[in-house]
Amino acid sequence: MNDSTPVWFITGCSTGLGRALATTLLERGHRAAVTARDPRTVADLAAGHGERALALALDVTDPAQVAEAVERAEAEFGRIDVLVNNAGYGYLAAVEEGEDAEVRALFDTNVFGLVETTRAALPGMRARRAGHIVNISSLGGLAAFGATGYYHATKFAVEGLSESLAAEVAPLGIGVTIVEPAAFRTDWSGPSMRQSATVIDDYAATAGARRAATLATYGHQPGDPLRAAAAVIDAVESPEPPLRLLLGKAAYDIATARLDTLRAGFDTWRAVTVGADYPAA
Ligand code: NAP
């Protein structure tokens, strides 16, 4: 290890994509701040990697803990080269079934937690005119389905925020990559999933059916977290990292179909759309 060994900071490493990313980075000889709400869940990840791994307690909804974790990582490693905002979870409910406290908690983690870590890491990156921020969004940040409206709302928020951020920090030497996975074999659709206790019979055939279908994917998702981790690292380390990285065949198929649908709808209504301007002088 020397000072040029890249330093990554990852949120939500106890399971899933965050764990796969931390594992792969450390195996590749990188340095990593491996964070989790309960740091005991990442102790095994850090073990055996000596000073290259730093296990830290981090609940992204706790601003004081975010500040402390970023400071610790910067003090230990001298800098953060790549921040990965990975922590997040899903919530199954038709929009009308949504419970206020659950919805706000979802936004607190998936959106405001990501904002908090980003704002904590940016001063160091700006000072060095270098760095990269990876925001784990979702295919669900580009296309929406029944039963996951609130989850989509958080991921669409991540998409818009990240696109603005990319435009703002590019001149400062900082890159942004939005990662959009389809279904990957993690705890997302199993133990991590939350659901509304409220169930309205009128949505049984729509949101209800999709609730069941989403839960049924657990353990059978086609996406491999370790391949996803390698893809993210390779993309970030490529000469021109992408603004968006879809992961999984379904992500490619659904996102490109979504583009076609959007274009067809815009074209069908083009005359009405264009006609809303003042007449040309
Ligand atoms: P996962 O196995 O459930 O992992 C989620 C991680 O987020 C866990 O480590 C969890 O930690 C952590 N987390 C949740 N709330 C947190 C908080 N307040 N502070 C810090 N950490 C928190 O699911 P995953 O699939 O790896 O999810 C990772 C990201 O990928 C999420 O943003 C998810 O929305 C996104 N994603 C996943 C899929 C998929 O199919 N798997 C598809 C698209 C996008 P605890 O152990 O403490 O709960």
Side-chain angles (χ1 to χ4, degrees):
M1 181 182 74
N2 57 45
D3 193 49
S4 65
T5 307
V7 178
W8 289 54
F9 183 109
I10 312 151
T11 67
C13 296
S14 67
T15 56
L17 296 175
R19 189 173 185 86
L21 201 48
T23 304
T24 308
L25 285 164
L26 291 168
E27 278 172 2
R28 288 191 185 188
H30 291 44
R31 293 182 284 180
V34 178
T35 76
R37 283 195 280 202
D38 178 353
R40 287 171 302 184
T41 60
V42 292
D44 62 317
L45 272 178
H49 296 289
E51 291 177 354
R52 286 194 294 111
L54 180 64
L56 294 173
L58 177 55
D59 180 332
V60 297
T61 65
D62 179 342
Q65 213 173 35
V66 170
E68 194 185 320
V70 168
E71 273 169 33
R72 281 277 314 274
E74 289 177 337
E76 193 80 22
F77 295 131
R79 62 179 194 272
I80 293 169
D81 293 312
V82 184
L83 165 67
V84 184
N85 284 308
N86 165 74
Y89 65 94
Y91 174 56
L92 294 171
V95 172
E96 192 181 342
E97 294 166 345
E99 295 135 329
D100 210 44
E102 288 282 354
V103 172
R104 287 174 192 278
L106 188 71
F107 273 81
D108 279 342
T109 296
N110 292 10
V111 179
F112 298 114
L114 173 148
V115 167
E116 199 67 40
T117 49
T118 300
R119 291 198 296 217
L122 275 173
M125 292 184 177
R126 281 192 294 103
R128 290 181 296 102
R129 292 293 193 262
H132 204 90
I133 296 172
V134 177
N135 286 338
I136 307 293
S137 171
S138 171
L139 167 62
L142 295 172
F145 308 92
T148 35
Y150 293 104
Y151 178 69
H152 294 306
T154 67
K155 295 300 188 180
F156 272 60
V158 167
E159 296 274 335
L161 187 97
S162 304
E163 215 172 296
S164 289
L165 179 69
E168 292 160 2
V169 299
L172 307 176
I174 302 164
V176 175
T177 295
I178 310 165
V179 177
E180 292 138 341
F184 276 71
R185 207 166 298 172
T186 69
D187 284 357
W188 186 87
S189 62
S192 303
M193 183 60 81
R194 297 194 61 84
Q195 293 191 61
S196 68
T198 309
V199 174
I200 300 173
D201 286 345
D202 277 346
Y203 298 112
T206 52
R210 184 142 187 288
R211 261 194 209 222
T214 302
L215 295 170
T217 64
Y218 180 58
H220 309 286
Q221 307 93 321
D224 173 355
L226 285 170
R227 286 169 199 264
V232 169
I233 299 166
D234 291 346
V236 169
E237 294 184 342
S238 69
E240 287 188 40
L243 175 60
R244 288 192 160 77
L245 179 66
L246 295 164
L247 290 177
K249 182 176 182 301
Y252 182 83
D253 291 348
I254 294 169
T256 50
R258 168 85 174 154
L259 283 180
D260 295 343
T261 308
L262 279 176
R263 174 164 290 283
F266 294 156
D267 286 346
T268 301
W269 287 85
R270 183 177 181 281
V272 175
T273 300
V274 171
D277 286 346
Y278 289 110

